[in-house]
Amino acid sequence: MTAQEKDYRNKKDLSFINDIKSMAVIGTSKKRNFFFLRNHFATFKGPIYAVNPSISEISDFPSENIYPSVKDIPGEVDFAFITVPKNKILGIIDDCVVKKVKLVSIFTAEFSDAGTKEGIELELELLKRANNVVRFLGPNGMGLFYPKKGIQWRGKFPTEAGNIGFVAQSGGICNIAIYTAKELGFHFSKVFSFGNGTDLDVVDLISFFENDPETNIILCYVEGVKEGRGHDLMSAIARTTKPIALLKGGKSEIGSNAVQTHTASIAGNTKIWKSVFKQNPIMEVNSLEQLLHIAHLIDCYGIKKIENVAVFSISGGYGVVLVDLLQEAGLNIPNFSPEIQKKLDEQFFIRGTSSRNPLDAAAQLFQGDSIRRIIDIALSDKKIDCLVMDLPSYYFDPRYFFTPIENFEEIIIDTLCLGHKYNKPLIPIIQRTHTPEERRRVSKILAAKKVPIFGDPLEVIPLLPIISEYYTKKTQNT
Amino acid sequence: MTAQEKDYRNKKDLSFINDIKSMAVIGTSKKRNFFFLRNHFATFKGPIYAVNPSISEISDFPSENIYPSVKDIPGEVDFAFITVPKNKILGIIDDCVVKKVKLVSIFTAEFSDAGTKEGIELELELLKRANNVVRFLGPNGMGLFYPKKGIQWRGKFPTEAGNIGFVAQSGGICNIAIYTAKELGFHFSKVFSFGNGTDLDVVDLISFFENDPETNIILCYVEGVKEGRGHDLMSAIARTTKPIALLKGGKSEIGSNAVQTHTASIAGNTKIWKSVFKQNPIMEVNSLEQLLHIAHLIDCYGIKKIENVAVFSISGGYGVVLVDLLQEAGLNIPNFSPEIQKKLDEQFFIRGTSSRNPLDAAAQLFQGDSIRRIIDIALSDKKIDCLVMDLPSYYFDPRYFFTPIENFEEIIIDTLCLGHKYNKPLIPIIQRTHTPEERRRVSKILAAKKVPIFGDPLEVIPLLPIISEYYTKKTQNT
């Protein structure tokens, strides 16, 4: 690679992605009932074409939008989803070059991922033919999910757009992430599944997100980088001003072997990864669930110092366990400031409660808006960075109470939003008990108000120091 | 205390609990709309009496079962739930002694838990008056949940009886545990909330469970033990032949302070606890959720050595992360035995799959019962102790597939039960995506077949070495 080529590789301009107006699905076939075409057709906001030389009719799809070749399409084609057999891929790429398609997703697999000499060579040829004219995702990837434009490889993907960008090699990981985020109630700006990463890889896509006005938070699932891209990755991460969280697949010995079958990446270079995490401000997590929860937390509350935590519990015992878990994670549960403590003392009037940190509300939960006042006062303490509380989901079932409490749910939801009043994370653990419908209803209401809820303290507590350390690193670096 | 008294204290015979045939709610009042009376009346299988000298009528309750004093009840009273004000408690206990009530739950609070000299003295007086004639739970506790007899302090407690015993000081913890287990689909034999533990405490109740034919697994949430009971606790645990798991509340410094307000126990004696966990075969967990999940796992699969794990994934990327998490937890993901590997190789026929450990099924999931055969073969490997797999919940939504797959759910459920064929834990991670109703439906079907499902690998993976280490300790000790 010449220095010029290398320079180009690191400065791929992908800003055109935000202007995609037209697309084609190339190789769509009857065998799969035009699966990918139908998924995109259902939501894509612009002209969409089907390309297959042996098809002239597709049920519920306009026949005037079916073409034998992408070159025959009269209008422009900004984006193409390619699902042709491997032996046809080079011809199709040539066509895309002629047509000046800006971005293609190559779903077709068995290139370097097959581990064969032939596959590796074909993949290199693909790169050569695309010739920096056509940018491509894949092969062996799902490509692009872009809800704002209605670009989606799967049905029932959420249609709302958020400001979280996600980049992963694995399409399966992306599917799980997209459907889980839909349930948690936060939204992606764009998701890239780049597969073998032959042209566009994690480095390019992190750089793209950094410059993307539609993205505020960057999430990555990475199994490895191609030889020679380690330093580029570190630079890309170092340049990133937006919060970035990363899940590394293949950290363990056997995990790293598995990666080779999966995406033919060099996961094994643990040295690179260790220095990525050590030298750069980046939030490293250990599971896909943690990656999604940390995104949800940051989307709701931003990046904050989280050192001193107030704990509020309904069950004193559960509060004690929360304190243990928080301390184990390196967080403090300090005494409240004297003037705050005084105000809190005045709010507790039922036996079995405790006005100190951890706050134990016990039956006082049912006393109108007294818990709203208590949490408001606790959060107003300058010493306190964050409040963690538990609230079993059965309290949201009015049948649970012998005497129904007026406006109970309204007051509680209002209370759970108090973090935003003080610009401090308020984190409710709403346990997954026998009333999942109630839990889900409340979870949706709260997600819309940018309050994330959790079901298990271990889902969220280990993430708090990660956010806080990122905050510190970022503050020190600037 | 004389040696004889001390001896008696350690040998309280509680076997009568299994023969409770009649009960009374003493102090039931209109103010709370006879809350505890109604909860018990709804399910108790036997005569139930209301005791209150100032009440002669209760709606929807037989007036002939209302008595001014427990002494006036003509028949026997085996169990009483007491909710009188503190200043009336001694008289009530005297009545119970006269009536020879075998067990009482004292819900009334503000004894030693209030931290006052008066409270402490009243509590000691309580013990003296009960005089080893009446055994009691509490004060400041919820007492007994015994689904087989219909003894329940709360409404909507599950009516099915299982074989898991749970003992905790905190009633709030018990409520969350009972309602969470109801959702997870496993069942308790009995739950004791012993509050201040003045008479019956964790030592007595562990000993009871050890001898209880209705209980096979023992769970404890303990904040502390009274002075001088540390050694008794260690002996009780050492004598236990049944699997026992424990969550210690107040392990951290601040957590331990919080315990003092909560139940006036001496949590601070970390030395005792450290030696409890070190010297005895006991499964220690860090959260209530872990305590419940480990119970569910053991209830389904028993106590097993779990060292060599097979991983099966639909998304190769997710499988890689599972491998990383398993290795991080100290587990092996070995190669399959050569003859098993050969059989597995024959089963894989779609590109993008992997027949090695971790198994990556990719799209082969949709090929009839091929995954049933794959998992069956993997589990048949003598080297393999356990199989962990992921299966996003949206696969249980038939609308997810473009072409519906015949008997798909039936085949999958059948497959997920294969652990029982080989007497090895098969652990499905069914992620919490946008189809919670499907997930819940399948979860209920599987729970009935003694297959526990999880939603997040970090919910279950850290528990596997705990079970396995317990197995090893137990095997070494016998």
Side-chain angles (χ1 to χ4, degrees):
Chain A
M1 206 184 283
T2 66
Q4 204 190 347
E5 276 170 338
K6 201 167 171 186
D7 191 50
Y8 180 81
R9 238 192 123 166
N10 288 330
K11 287 183 185 163
K12 291 169 194 165
D13 180 9
L14 302 174
S15 57
F16 66 83
I17 291 177
N18 289 2
D19 296 318
I20 291 174
K21 287 184 183 69
S22 53
M23 74 168 285
V25 177
I26 303 176
T28 188
S29 76
K30 201 168 181 169
K31 195 179 143 201
R32 289 186 189 165
N33 194 14
F34 310 101
F35 186 70
F36 293 113
L37 177 69
R38 291 193 195 281
N39 291 343
H40 284 99
F41 181 58
T43 47
F44 184 69
K45 293 164 187 170
I48 174 165
Y49 306 98
V51 173
N52 189 327
S54 51
I55 279 173
S56 57
E57 224 175 312
I58 298 168
S59 65
D60 303 318
F61 186 81
S63 58
E64 65 273 21
N65 281 17
I66 307 173
Y67 289 90
S69 161
V70 71
K71 292 186 293 183
D72 301 326
I73 297 169
E76 282 189 19
V77 177
D78 297 325
F79 170 63
F81 185 95
I82 300 179
T83 168
V84 299
K86 188 176 56 160
N87 59 353
K88 289 191 181 158
I89 191 74
L90 294 179
I92 294 292
I93 287 293
D94 290 343
D95 290 352
C96 289
V97 168
V98 172
K99 184 67 190 172
K100 292 194 175 120
V101 178
K102 289 166 190 147
L103 178 73
V104 305
S105 294
I106 305 173
F107 174 68
T108 316
E110 282 190 285
F111 293 82
S112 66
D113 50 298
T116 59
K117 189 168 166 269
E118 188 208 356
I120 294 165
E121 282 171 4
L122 187 59
E123 192 168 310
L124 287 173
E125 185 63 19
L126 202 57
L127 192 63
K128 210 169 139 188
R129 299 283 189 101
N131 195 26
N132 286 323
V133 174
V134 174
R135 299 264 71 114
F136 65 95
L137 296 159
N140 187 31
M142 298 306 310
L144 174 62
F145 165 52
Y146 189 176
K148 190 180 160 191
K149 305 278 180 186
I151 298 176
Q152 56 169 33
W153 64 76
R154 268 273 175 201
K156 300 194 201 310
F157 269 6
T159 48
E160 300 94 324
N163 52 20
I164 298 170
F166 181 33
V167 46
Q169 292 170 281
S170 161
I173 286 271
C174 291
N175 287 338
I176 299 169
I178 293 164
Y179 287 123
T180 304
K182 186 177 178 181
E183 184 60 14
L184 289 172
F186 70 85
H187 305 292
F188 291 110
S189 54
K190 299 173 185 79
V191 174
F192 292 102
S193 156
F194 64 84
N196 295 359
T198 315
D199 178 27
L200 301 178
D201 65 3
V202 64
V203 180
D204 302 313
L205 297 166
I206 288 174
S207 303
F208 166 73
F209 279 137
E210 168 66 9
N211 297 309
D212 178 19
E214 295 172 358
T215 300
N216 294 339
I217 298 164
I218 306 171
L219 306 182
C220 319
Y221 168 72
V222 192
E223 295 187 346
V225 285
K226 300 267 174 197
E227 194 117 38
R229 277 297 253 180
H231 182 261
D232 295 343
L233 176 65
M234 276 199 272
S235 314
I237 292 172
R239 276 196 308 269
T240 302
T241 58
K242 298 176 181 175
I244 176 165
L246 194 145
L247 170 63
K248 168 71 179 77
K251 278 191 284 196
S252 65
E253 197 192 329
I254 296 161
S256 135
N257 294 343
V259 159
Q260 285 195 347
T261 351
H262 189 228
T263 38
S265 297
I266 301 144
N269 202 331
T270 341
K271 260 195 197 162
I272 290 178
W273 290 103
K274 279 204 176 143
S275 57
V276 163
F277 295 126
K278 203 176 157 189
Q279 292 180 24
N280 293 289
I282 188 161
M283 290 169 273
E284 194 204 352
V285 295
N286 295 317
S287 71
L288 182 61
E289 288 71 17
Q290 287 193 334
L291 192 68
L292 298 171
H293 286 311
I294 210 167
H296 197 191
L297 273 170
I298 300 169
D299 191 36
C300 291
Y301 293 122
I303 296 290
K304 295 275 152 61
K305 173 177 77 99
I306 304 172
E307 288 170 5
N308 295 310
V309 182
V311 173
F312 176 96
S313 73
I314 314 298
S315 151
Y318 204 92
V320 166
V321 177
L322 286 180
V323 166
D324 286 344
L325 294 171
L326 287 160
Q327 280 220 318
E328 173 72 25
L331 297 155
N332 307 323
I333 296 87
N335 291 328
F336 292 110
S337 308
E339 70 280 11
I340 299 290
Q341 188 60 63
K342 209 176 145 232
K343 282 190 205 171
L344 284 168
D345 291 344
E346 288 161 11
Q347 294 297 327
F348 284 81
F349 48 84
I350 283 191
R351 66 174 164 73
T353 56
S354 167
S355 64
R356 305 182 73 82
N357 197 9
L359 296 156
D360 183 356
Q364 208 168 307
L365 175 69
F366 311 118
Q367 299 294 322
D369 61 355
S370 105
I371 79 142
R372 178 163 48 188
R373 286 195 302 272
I374 291 166
I375 290 178
D376 196 327
I377 296 167
L379 280 167
S380 76
D381 192 334
K382 285 211 177 77
K383 275 172 85 173
I384 295 298
D385 302 321
C386 168
L387 186 140
V388 175
M389 62 185 289
D390 92 285
L391 192 59
S393 54
Y394 44 82
Y395 289 126
F396 293 108
D397 179 358
R399 293 163 303 173
Y400 185 76
F401 303 105
F402 230 90
T403 322
I405 297 160
E406 215 185 331
N407 302 330
F408 181 75
E409 182 165 314
E410 202 185 310
I411 292 169
I412 293 289
I413 285 176
D414 229 48
T415 306
L416 299 183
C417 293
L418 280 171
H420 292 300
K421 178 175 172 188
Y422 293 99
N423 200 15
K424 296 175 182 180
L426 181 153
I427 295 165
I429 316 286
I430 302 190
Q431 293 100 341
R432 296 189 181 92
T433 64
H434 65 302
T435 52
E437 299 86 357
E438 308 296 329
R439 188 179 187 280
R440 196 180 188 214
R441 180 171 50 75
V442 169
S443 156
K444 298 274 167 199
I445 296 170
L446 286 169
K449 293 172 183 283
K450 295 265 179 194
V451 177
I453 72 162
F454 299 87
D456 180 331
L458 287 168
E459 261 174 10
V460 58
I461 288 175
L463 305 179
L464 303 179
I466 297 175
I467 294 174
S468 195
E469 278 162 31
Y470 177 83
Y471 171 88
T472 309
K473 272 194 188 176
K474 272 297 200 195
T475 320
Q476 284 167 349
N477 282 8
T478 53
Chain B
M1 206 183 286
T2 67
Q4 204 189 347
E5 276 171 338
K6 203 170 168 183
D7 192 49
Y8 179 82
R9 237 193 123 162
N10 288 330
K11 287 181 185 166
K12 291 170 194 164
D13 180 8
L14 301 175
S15 57
F16 65 83
I17 291 177
N18 288 2
D19 296 317
I20 290 175
K21 287 185 183 67
S22 53
M23 74 169 285
V25 177
I26 304 176
T28 188
S29 76
K30 202 168 180 171
K31 195 180 143 200
R32 289 188 188 164
N33 194 15
F34 310 100
F35 184 72
F36 292 113
L37 177 69
R38 291 193 194 281
N39 291 341
H40 284 99
F41 181 59
T43 48
F44 184 69
K45 294 164 186 170
I48 174 165
Y49 307 98
V51 174
N52 190 329
S54 50
I55 280 173
S56 56
E57 225 176 310
I58 298 169
S59 65
D60 304 318
F61 186 81
S63 56
E64 66 273 21
N65 282 16
I66 307 173
Y67 290 91
S69 161
V70 71
K71 293 186 291 183
D72 302 324
I73 297 170
E76 282 189 19
V77 176
D78 298 325
F79 170 64
F81 186 95
I82 300 179
T83 168
V84 299
K86 188 175 56 160
N87 59 352
K88 290 191 180 157
I89 191 73
L90 294 179
I92 294 292
I93 286 293
D94 290 344
D95 290 352
C96 290
V97 168
V98 172
K99 183 68 190 170
K100 292 196 175 118
V101 177
K102 291 168 188 144
L103 179 73
V104 305
S105 293
I106 306 174
F107 174 68
T108 316
E110 282 189 286
F111 293 83
S112 66
D113 50 297
T116 58
K117 189 167 167 273
E118 186 210 356
I120 294 164
E121 282 171 6
L122 187 61
E123 193 168 309
L124 287 173
E125 186 62 22
L126 202 57
L127 191 64
K128 209 169 142 189
R129 300 279 190 102
N131 194 27
N132 284 324
V133 175
V134 173
R135 298 263 71 114
F136 65 95
L137 296 159
N140 187 30
M142 299 305 312
L144 174 62
F145 166 52
Y146 189 177
K148 191 180 160 191
K149 306 277 180 188
I151 298 176
Q152 56 170 32
W153 64 76
R154 268 275 176 201
K156 300 192 201 312
F157 269 7
T159 49
E160 300 94 325
N163 52 19
I164 298 170
F166 181 34
V167 47
Q169 293 170 280
S170 162
I173 285 272
C174 290
N175 287 337
I176 300 170
I178 292 165
Y179 288 123
T180 303
K182 186 177 179 181
E183 183 61 15
L184 289 172
F186 69 86
H187 305 293
F188 291 109
S189 54
K190 298 172 186 79
V191 174
F192 291 102
S193 156
F194 64 83
N196 296 358
T198 313
D199 177 27
L200 301 178
D201 64 3
V202 65
V203 179
D204 302 313
L205 297 166
I206 287 175
S207 303
F208 167 73
F209 278 138
E210 169 65 10
N211 297 309
D212 178 18
E214 296 173 358
T215 300
N216 295 338
I217 299 163
I218 307 171
L219 306 183
C220 319
Y221 168 72
V222 192
E223 294 186 348
V225 285
K226 301 267 177 202
E227 195 115 39
R229 278 295 254 181
H231 182 261
D232 296 343
L233 177 66
M234 276 199 273
S235 314
I237 293 173
R239 277 196 307 269
T240 303
T241 59
K242 298 177 182 174
I244 176 165
L246 193 145
L247 170 63
K248 168 71 178 79
K251 279 192 284 196
S252 65
E253 195 192 329
I254 296 162
S256 135
N257 293 343
V259 159
Q260 287 195 346
T261 350
H262 189 227
T263 39
S265 297
I266 301 144
N269 202 332
T270 342
K271 259 194 196 163
I272 292 179
W273 289 103
K274 279 203 175 143
S275 57
V276 165
F277 295 126
K278 204 177 158 186
Q279 292 179 25
N280 293 289
I282 188 161
M283 291 170 271
E284 193 204 353
V285 296
N286 295 317
S287 70
L288 182 61
E289 289 72 18
Q290 287 193 334
L291 191 68
L292 298 171
H293 287 311
I294 210 166
H296 198 192
L297 273 170
I298 299 168
D299 190 36
C300 291
Y301 294 122
I303 295 291
K304 295 277 152 60
K305 174 179 76 100
I306 303 171
E307 287 170 6
N308 295 311
V309 182
V311 174
F312 176 95
S313 73
I314 315 299
S315 151
Y318 204 91
V320 166
V321 177
L322 287 180
V323 167
D324 286 344
L325 293 172
L326 286 160
Q327 280 222 318
E328 173 73 26
L331 297 155
N332 306 323
I333 296 88
N335 290 328
F336 291 111
S337 308
E339 70 280 11
I340 299 290
Q341 187 60 62
K342 209 177 146 234
K343 282 192 206 170
L344 283 169
D345 290 344
E346 288 161 11
Q347 293 296 328
F348 283 81
F349 48 84
I350 282 190
R351 67 174 164 73
T353 57
S354 166
S355 63
R356 305 182 74 82
N357 197 9
L359 297 156
D360 182 356
Q364 207 169 306
L365 175 70
F366 311 116
Q367 300 293 321
D369 61 355
S370 104
I371 79 144
R372 177 162 50 187
R373 287 194 301 273
I374 291 166
I375 289 178
D376 197 327
I377 297 167
L379 281 167
S380 76
D381 193 334
K382 284 209 179 77
K383 276 173 83 174
I384 294 298
D385 303 321
C386 167
L387 186 140
V388 175
M389 61 185 289
D390 92 285
L391 191 60
S393 54
Y394 43 83
Y395 289 125
F396 293 106
D397 179 358
R399 294 164 301 173
Y400 184 77
F401 303 106
F402 231 90
T403 321
I405 297 160
E406 216 184 331
N407 302 331
F408 181 75
E409 183 165 314
E410 204 185 306
I411 293 169
I412 294 288
I413 285 176
D414 229 49
T415 305
L416 298 184
C417 293
L418 280 171
H420 292 300
K421 178 175 171 186
Y422 293 100
N423 200 15
K424 295 175 182 180
L426 181 154
I427 295 164
I429 316 286
I430 302 190
Q431 293 100 343
R432 296 189 181 92
T433 63
H434 65 301
T435 52
E437 298 87 358
E438 309 296 330
R439 188 179 188 281
R440 195 178 188 215
R441 181 171 49 74
V442 169
S443 156
K444 298 273 166 200
I445 297 169
L446 287 168
K449 293 171 184 285
K450 294 265 180 196
V451 176
I453 71 162
F454 298 88
D456 180 330
L458 287 168
E459 261 173 10
V460 59
I461 289 176
L463 306 179
L464 303 180
I466 296 174
I467 294 174
S468 195
E469 277 161 33
Y470 177 83
Y471 171 88
T472 308
K473 273 192 186 175
K474 272 297 198 196
T475 320
Q476 285 168 349
N477 282 8
T478 53

